[in-house]
Amino acid sequence: WPKFQGRKEPMPHQKAGAAFHTLNPRSINQSQPRTGKTFTVLLAADWLIKSGKVKRVAIFSTLSTMDQVWVKSLFDSFHDYSYVSVHASTAAQRRDILESNTDFAIINHDGCKLLEKEIIAKKFDMVIWDEADNLTQSGSAMWKSFHKIAKDVPYVILMGATIVGERKPTDA
């Protein structure tokens, strides 16, 4: 694994997880809570960007983790990248923020539905969906929007320690 320039050195399981995500463009990270899933997927994104396979990353997360987890992780450990937290009072303000030319756009889950067309138009090369348990209902509006956004994106990572939900035969 290449030498990492951030504040902390990746742990062996994080290096292995990041390697897994780079080799498996559509993958799921179901590691236990507090094992460093966020750092692991950002490490994978870092390598993919530096190798020229990815230019822009969209991260979908809960409102409570947009800044406290994702922005903090990027600020603390990935200094080479620009990022924006796409959260504002109005949809128009969110659209304006999304238009910024940054490496990472951190978007609230509800932004998936609200900004679906704009997100697709930005042509992200990588999509990370944190807390993917809210995508388990394949008929939900959020799942449908996410599917439209992610279907042509080369790298998609779903994250969550508890990706479970009501299952029907049609979910397969």
Side-chain angles (χ1 to χ4, degrees):
W1 195 262
K3 177 69 177 145
F4 182 68
Q5 302 298 318
R7 286 188 183 177
K8 62 181 182 177
E9 185 67 25
M11 293 182 275
H13 74 277
Q14 291 172 315
K15 290 179 182 180
F20 174 81
H21 293 307
T22 62
L23 295 171
N24 296 280
R26 293 182 173 263
S27 55
I28 299 173
N29 188 327
Q30 285 189 281
S31 300
Q32 293 297 313
R34 311 293 308 156
T35 56
K37 290 184 292 293
T38 301
F39 188 76
T40 299
V41 300
L42 287 176
L43 197 59
D46 175 56
W47 188 86
L48 290 166
I49 291 169
K50 287 180 177 166
S51 66
K53 296 176 189 249
V54 167
K55 289 187 175 90
R56 295 199 69 220
V57 180
I59 300 169
F60 294 92
S61 75
T62 61
L63 183 59
S64 63
T65 63
M66 287 176 69
D67 292 327
Q68 293 177 8
V69 174
W70 290 100
V71 168
K72 184 178 183 326
S73 295
L74 285 163
F75 178 80
D76 286 347
S77 300
F78 298 90
H79 307 276
D80 296 342
Y81 301 113
S82 58
Y83 51 87
V84 65
S85 183
V86 184
H87 181 68
S89 300
T90 68
Q93 290 171 323
R94 289 183 192 196
R95 285 183 186 93
D96 288 344
I97 295 168
L98 185 62
E99 283 303 311
S100 61
N101 191 22
T102 58
D103 300 308
F104 289 84
I106 305 157
I107 306 163
N108 174 289
H109 286 154
D110 289 329
C112 176
K113 297 179 288 186
L114 184 67
L115 303 172
E116 178 185 310
K117 290 178 184 163
E118 293 85 350
I119 293 167
I120 292 169
K122 292 297 277 185
K123 298 188 184 300
F124 288 98
D125 305 299
M126 183 176 204
V127 170
I128 298 167
W129 189 283
D130 193 9
E131 303 301 339
D133 57 310
N134 60 13
L135 290 176
T136 59
Q137 303 298 319
S138 61
S140 71
M142 189 171 298
W143 184 91
K144 289 176 184 177
S145 289
F146 174 74
H147 179 70
K148 289 176 190 174
I149 290 167
K151 70 178 182 170
D152 294 322
V153 174
Y155 291 88
V156 178
I157 300 174
L158 301 181
M159 297 172 56
T162 57
I163 303 175
V164 295
E166 177 186 329
R167 300 286 186 227
K168 299 175 276 189
T170 56
D171 289 340

